[in-house]
Amino acid sequence: RKEVEQDPGPFNVPEGATVAFNCTYSNSASQSFFWYRQDCRKEPKLLMSVYSSGNEDGRFTAQLNRASQYISLLIRDSKLSDSATYLCVVKRSGGSYIPTFGRGTSLIVHP
Amino acid sequence: SQTIHQWPATLVQPVGSPLSLECTVEGTSNPNLYWYRQAAGRGLQLLFYSVGIGQISSEVPQNLSASRPQDRQFILSSKKLLLSDSGFYLCAGGMGTEAFFGQGTRLTVV
């Protein structure tokens, strides 16, 4: 089983739609969780951290379920500019922080 | 703010040639540093990480090596490139929280 798993998609949605991505992780000792965004042929950039209580940043909501070992990202009112690949990142703990990336979920928002 | 400088942006190298990619960090001291590779249409694979000068951990056996001669310098090398070394190479840094990335080097081995 891969350490971090995501549905690669693509998710093809119209502008204004709400879309949700899930990500599962295998290491129950993982402590830090993030969502990154990667545009085509560019480096990943931090979108938001994921906190145990859930957190929101504008149209984006991230949630963590430690019992089931998954995190989610919800995007409301999708914009064309949201089209990108969304990477789930889990950091191992115990000594060195090692960011482990999921394969990414591709989102295409169309007019 | 923390910044990763990585160069070159693109590189085309023949099979069997050597490789040296350099990454430098600004805005922080003693960061953890990472080299990732992303093959076309694939996720990021961690190649090496370093928690300090001269300290290198390898995640996967391969044709590459890494060195950290200075606190803010991380180098990825190969003595002889293979076709399978082609990919998008990303240097990243972190201080125990989120990782921040350089702009990446797109390597094509021909």
Side-chain angles (χ1 to χ4, degrees):
Chain A
R1 181 183 175 188
K2 291 183 180 176
E3 199 163 343
V4 181
E5 294 204 62
Q6 292 181 254
D7 179 349
F11 285 64
N12 203 319
V13 303
E15 272 186 291
T18 296
V19 61
F21 308 136
N22 285 333
C23 165
T24 58
Y25 60 95
S26 60
N27 188 343
S28 60
S30 300
Q31 290 191 343
S32 302
F33 308 90
F34 309 89
W35 282 102
Y36 277 70
R37 170 191 169 130
Q38 186 175 24
D39 292 297
C40 187
R41 303 179 73 84
K42 299 286 189 181
E43 77 275 19
K45 294 186 178 177
L46 179 67
L47 179 65
M48 58 196 304
S49 302
V50 186
Y51 303 122
S52 297
S53 56
N55 47 298
E56 190 173 305
D57 183 1
R59 298 182 291 109
F60 298 84
T61 301
Q63 293 198 314
L64 167 65
N65 185 320
R66 285 190 185 273
S68 301
Q69 293 182 208
Y70 78 81
I71 67 174
S72 64
L73 177 68
L74 181 77
I75 305 176
R76 291 182 300 278
D77 189 24
S78 299
K79 311 292 184 190
L80 295 176
S81 58
D82 292 334
S83 298
T85 298
Y86 292 83
L87 302 167
C88 168
V89 182
V90 173
K91 276 201 166 184
R92 305 177 205 167
S93 58
S96 303
Y97 275 101
I98 308 294
T100 302
F101 286 76
R103 182 176 170 176
T105 298
S106 175
L107 172 66
I108 302 169
V109 182
H110 59 81
Chain B
S1 63
Q2 299 156 335
T3 307
I4 295 267
H5 297 284
Q6 188 182 343
W7 65 92
T10 58
L11 192 59
V12 180
Q13 292 280 102
V15 169
S17 63
L19 173 73
S20 180
L21 300 181
E22 188 166 343
C23 161
T24 58
V25 184
E26 283 185 3
T28 186
S29 297
N30 197 31
N32 290 346
L33 294 174
Y34 313 91
W35 277 110
Y36 289 88
R37 176 172 60 203
Q38 188 175 36
R42 307 289 296 275
L44 274 74
Q45 179 187 34
L46 180 64
L47 303 176
F48 300 95
Y49 70 91
S50 170
V51 298
I53 296 173
Q55 299 180 63
I56 307 294
S57 297
S58 174
E59 284 290 297
V60 292
Q62 58 207 311
N63 183 39
L64 302 167
S65 62
S67 62
R68 187 169 177 177
Q70 300 180 46
D71 179 46
R72 301 180 191 183
Q73 185 183 28
F74 202 25
I75 298 171
L76 182 70
S77 304
S78 173
K79 292 182 179 177
K80 288 184 178 181
L81 285 169
L82 306 172
L83 287 175
S84 57
D85 291 325
S86 294
F88 189 38
Y89 288 82
L90 289 153
C91 178
M95 292 293 293
T97 53
E98 71 270 14
F100 49 100
F101 284 84
Q103 290 187 337
T105 296
R106 196 160 301 279
L107 171 66
T108 303
V109 183
V110 296

